[in-house]
Amino acid sequence: MLRMKRVTIEDVARQAGVSIATVSRVVSGSTHVAPMTTAKVQAAINMLGYKPNPIAKHLAGQRTNTIGLIVDEIVGDFFQPMLRGIEQTSSEHGYDLLIHSTRMRRRSGSYPVAEHNTDGIIVFGNSLPLDELRRLYIKQFPMVLMHQTPPSDVHVPCVTIENKRSAQRMVDYLIEQRGYTEIAFLRGPEGNEDSQWRELGFRESMAAHGLKVDDELIGMGGFEEMQAHHTVTQWVRQGKRPRCIFAADDDSALGVLRALKEAGLRVPQDVAVVGFDDIRIASYLSPALTTVRAPIEQVSRVAVETLIQLLEGETPQMLTLLPTELIIRESCGYSA
Amino acid sequence: MLRMKRVTIEDVARQAGVSIATVSRVVSGSTHVAPMTTAKVQAAINMLGYKPNPIAKHLAGQRTNTIGLIVDEIVGDFFQPMLRGIEQTSSEHGYDLLIHSTRMRRRSGSYPVAEHNTDGIIVFGNSLPLDELRRLYIKQFPMVLMHQTPPSDVHVPCVTIENKRSAQRMVDYLIEQRGYTEIAFLRGPEGNEDSQWRELGFRESMAAHGLKVDDELIGMGGFEEMQAHHTVTQWVRQGKRPRCIFAADDDSALGVLRALKEAGLRVPQDVAVVGFDDIRIASYLSPALTTVRAPIEQVSRVAVETLIQLLEGETPQMLTLLPTELIIRESCGYSA
DNA sequence: GTGAAAGCGCTAACAT
DNA sequence: ATGTTAGCGCTTTCAC
């Protein structure tokens, strides 16, 4: 495809009767330029409709003015608010956004979004393998992690939510306000950090109330409707029937609800169910799902702001934990 | 932030004892290079860990290897499958993805994602004002429209779904299979093209069956729960009670369902409701929502492929209409 | 305050 | 088959 001839800095310089250096100065505002000269240059710029070419700027200036976002997979209710926060904040700060999903690809061993085309990146969860993370860290390439803390030898800022404390508060509520003593927990995927913290919060609350955690009632939910459904169906078949099930995320809570319904058990009368995330469906279910609302968009915003601090040479906070909100609805036994 | 000294093409050339041109040839594979030389260069590349700098490549080569996506707002259930399709397809073809939302911004009158940093763009809906669309078109800048046909003077490929035909089929079903004769229609936002085609399909089906469309029963849904709720609530207050309501999208169908419930009307016994899109919630509602499933991810894939054809100088299809699927659930009166 | 000129890292003629 | 070199459009010393 042929590209039309662009208006370059030279055209402007010629038109204004100055050198390209002066035009550059006027455009960037880096050095003082005589008011008259500035006016002439501005006039030429407007007349010609000059737009600086960012690519050339990047080559010369050694920066791209672009932020990269690396995610595992573009999927789930989680994704949209996350991207929204990142895009908006980047844009507000004048950065472009390059996005890349690492799922299913790994062409030639190198990642298409990294130091060569961005000034810094935001890494969601464990979308980047540890060795790549280390490589970038050693190179001192600016990056911020979201929803995943870095390994101890990688000293990079991290923004996430108060997983442990939230789970703890939820379980406190279930025990203290609803009077449940037998609570099952449905884990997220193997190694998922969010899930680990939530489980820890669950266990600490149970312990703090002098309640025993029955290991038979710690199951796999996989942050997935299907897996959770399977686990709970098995429980029911084996005669295990906890009074309450805490699913580590709302998607698995969906599976729990379906499994209970199929087993002829009523929610919340027979079994109470709570989730985590407050996905959109949560409030539309009947009974509506009690859950924890995570400020996903806010996490994104803070992540971008943290990265920009890094880019500007400031020293950002290394760990940011954003607070959540308990959303009490009918599925836990509450009624208005 | 200081950047480490990069390994450049010159370092490789020196190390391999050849010229930079030869290195460039080996890397790009553009011209035949003697096997021995190739081997030497490869060895040097590996040894030094050389990575070509895309920015320099872009400046010199006049292309960015990047596709831009322009959307209005990052919001809704629609967004995630759309982006997913675009990201995957771009990536599969070796393109990076730059994304920009035009909502709420318009810094310095120029758009941050356009001809200066991409080889071509995909424009969703009417996220780009007409004058900008024209400007790019006149410049012959490669672009493809999604879910919106271009104005007649802008000859650009467009990919969308069979809106009219789908609506028609839905209404055919409602009339022929369910026996409804009085059907209301809830429009999308003013000027939204999807909605216009859907309304047309609705009207044609009604006409084809010799049924009158009552203009009092054409209301505003705005592709939004709130607006739809408001409209239907007004209808009920005014004693209008259509036997069936066709909401132009599922979000508005949600508002319809809520309004009817609040008015004490049963779905589908008193009023049947159908939507369009098949958002995730649709199947979880009770009654589950009858709707039209749109192949959103597929539209994205085709849009990217079309753009790439354009970039490669081929002549793509100018209009692609992807078929949909009727999803019949309980809200229209169907029972298994 | 402003101009000249040296890069930034690479591609693509043009030579050889 | 390979080397030489002129850009790509801009930023940034370094002089004047």
Side-chain angles (χ1 to χ4, degrees), chain A residues 5-173:
Chain A
K5 219 191 81 226
R6 331 180 99 256
V7 179
T8 74
I9 198 170
E10 249 179 304
D11 301 326
V12 176
R14 198 176 315 118
Q15 172 72 29
V18 299
S19 75
I20 62 166
T22 300
V23 176
S24 175
R25 282 170 191 129
V26 169
V27 171
S28 68
S30 56
T31 321
H32 285 290
V33 177
M36 274 248 312
T37 317
T38 305
K40 274 194 304 187
V41 172
Q42 278 298 359
I45 288 178
N46 292 334
M47 184 183 148
L48 268 38
Y50 167 68
K51 297 272 169 53
N53 177 342
I55 300 207
K57 195 187 303 202
H58 300 162
L59 222 209
Q62 301 293 63
R63 51 197 304 265
T64 64
N65 226 56
T66 299
I67 285 177
L69 169 63
I70 312 221
V71 298
D72 178 6
E73 204 177 357
I74 298 176
V75 69
D77 282 39
F78 199 82
F79 189 80
Q80 180 245 309
M82 180 182 93
L83 181 62
R84 183 186 166 85
I86 298 212
E87 200 280 337
Q88 281 196 3
T89 316
S90 307
S91 180
E92 282 163 17
H93 290 267
Y95 284 86
D96 288 343
L97 209 215
L98 213 45
I99 168 169
H100 176 247
S101 150
T102 50
R103 183 73 167 204
M104 305 169 87
R105 266 154 304 116
R106 189 66 185 284
R107 67 177 72 259
S108 68
S110 92
Y111 291 85
V113 170
E115 69 270 37
H116 53 269
N117 51 7
T118 58
D119 293 339
I121 58 176
I122 299 204
V123 181
F124 172 75
N126 53 6
S127 55
L128 220 48
L130 221 55
D131 54 347
E132 173 71 356
L133 210 62
R134 279 217 182 80
R135 185 183 73 75
L136 293 172
Y137 174 63
I138 288 165
K139 263 194 107 168
Q140 306 223 50
F141 185 66
M143 54 186 171
V144 170
L145 270 37
M146 274 178 69
H147 294 277
Q148 174 110 344
T149 51
S152 57
D153 61 327
V154 176
H155 203 233
V156 162
C158 168
V159 183
T160 183
I161 59 168
E162 284 185 331
N163 277 306
K164 186 178 123 185
R165 185 150 179 282
S166 308
Q168 217 164 355
R169 284 176 54 212
M170 172 63 92
V171 179
D172 286 351
Y173 171 85

Side-chain angles (χ1 to χ4, degrees), chain A residues 76-78 80-81 223-226 249-258 261 273-293 296 327 329-331, chain B residues 76-77 80 225 250-251 254 257-258 261 278-289 329:
Chain A
D77 282 39
F78 199 82
Q80 180 245 309
F223 282 0
E224 249 188 71
E225 184 172 344
M226 296 284 269
D249 88 325
D250 284 353
D251 276 306
S252 44
L254 251 29
V256 173
L257 291 173
R258 192 158 54 83
K261 190 174 194 175
V273 176
V274 303
F276 201 114
D277 279 351
D278 196 28
I279 63 177
R280 189 165 180 213
I281 303 182
S283 65
Y284 289 91
L285 298 168
S286 33
L289 185 65
T290 290
T291 186
V292 175
R293 180 175 297 160
I296 300 173
I327 305 290
R329 300 198 184 95
E330 295 89 53
S331 72
Chain B
D77 282 41
Q80 180 244 310
E225 186 173 342
D250 284 354
D251 276 306
L254 252 28
L257 291 173
R258 192 158 54 82
K261 190 173 194 176
D278 197 27
I279 63 177
R280 188 165 180 213
I281 302 183
S283 64
Y284 289 91
L285 296 169
S286 33
L289 185 66
R329 300 199 183 95

Side-chain angles (χ1 to χ4, degrees), chain B residues 12-265:
Chain B
V12 177
R14 197 177 314 118
Q15 172 72 27
V18 299
S19 75
I20 61 165
T22 300
V23 176
S24 175
R25 281 170 191 129
V26 170
V27 170
S28 68
S30 58
T31 321
H32 285 291
V33 177
M36 273 249 312
T37 318
T38 305
K40 274 194 304 188
V41 172
Q42 279 297 359
I45 287 177
N46 293 334
M47 185 183 145
L48 267 39
Y50 167 68
K51 296 270 170 54
N53 177 342
I55 300 208
K57 195 186 305 204
H58 301 162
L59 221 210
Q62 301 291 61
R63 51 195 304 267
T64 64
N65 226 57
T66 300
I67 285 177
L69 169 63
I70 312 222
V71 297
D72 177 6
E73 204 176 358
I74 298 176
V75 70
D77 282 41
F78 198 83
F79 189 80
Q80 180 244 310
M82 179 182 94
L83 182 63
R84 184 186 165 87
I86 298 212
E87 199 281 337
Q88 282 197 2
T89 315
S90 307
S91 180
E92 281 163 18
H93 289 266
Y95 284 86
D96 288 343
L97 208 217
L98 213 45
I99 168 170
H100 176 246
S101 150
T102 49
R103 183 72 168 205
M104 305 170 87
R105 267 154 302 115
R106 189 63 186 284
R107 68 176 71 258
S108 68
S110 92
Y111 291 86
V113 169
E115 70 269 39
H116 54 268
N117 51 7
T118 57
D119 293 340
I121 58 176
I122 300 206
V123 181
F124 173 75
N126 52 7
S127 55
L128 220 48
L130 221 55
D131 54 348
E132 173 71 357
L133 209 63
R134 280 216 182 79
R135 186 183 73 75
L136 293 172
Y137 174 65
I138 289 166
K139 263 193 107 168
Q140 305 223 50
F141 185 66
M143 54 185 172
V144 170
L145 270 37
M146 273 177 71
H147 294 277
Q148 173 110 344
T149 52
S152 58
D153 61 327
V154 175
H155 203 235
V156 162
C158 168
V159 184
T160 182
I161 59 167
E162 283 185 332
N163 277 306
K164 186 177 124 184
R165 186 150 178 282
S166 308
Q168 216 163 356
R169 284 176 54 213
M170 172 62 91
V171 178
D172 286 352
Y173 172 85
L174 294 172
I175 298 171
E176 297 168 12
Q177 305 297 314
R178 304 254 67 84
Y180 304 133
T181 55
E182 189 195 33
I183 305 177
F185 185 83
L186 235 46
R187 286 179 174 146
E190 201 67 52
N192 179 285
E193 192 176 311
D194 282 337
S195 176
Q196 286 167 356
W197 287 113
R198 291 171 196 176
E199 182 172 341
L200 202 59
F202 160 75
R203 287 180 183 276
E204 288 193 5
S205 172
M206 292 290 276
H209 289 85
L211 296 174
K212 254 224 174 64
V213 172
D214 180 353
D215 280 336
E216 299 250 292
L217 290 179
I218 301 285
M220 177 52 79
F223 282 180
E224 249 187 71
E225 186 173 342
M226 296 282 270
Q227 273 195 60
H229 175 268
H230 180 257
T231 298
V232 173
T233 301
Q234 290 301 320
W235 282 353
V236 172
R237 288 211 185 117
Q238 296 163 14
K240 295 181 202 159
R241 189 177 307 176
R243 181 64 190 87
C244 177
I245 300 178
F246 183 179
D249 89 325
D250 284 354
D251 276 306
S252 45
L254 252 28
V256 173
L257 291 173
R258 192 158 54 82
L260 293 172
K261 190 173 194 176
E262 289 170 9
L265 294 165

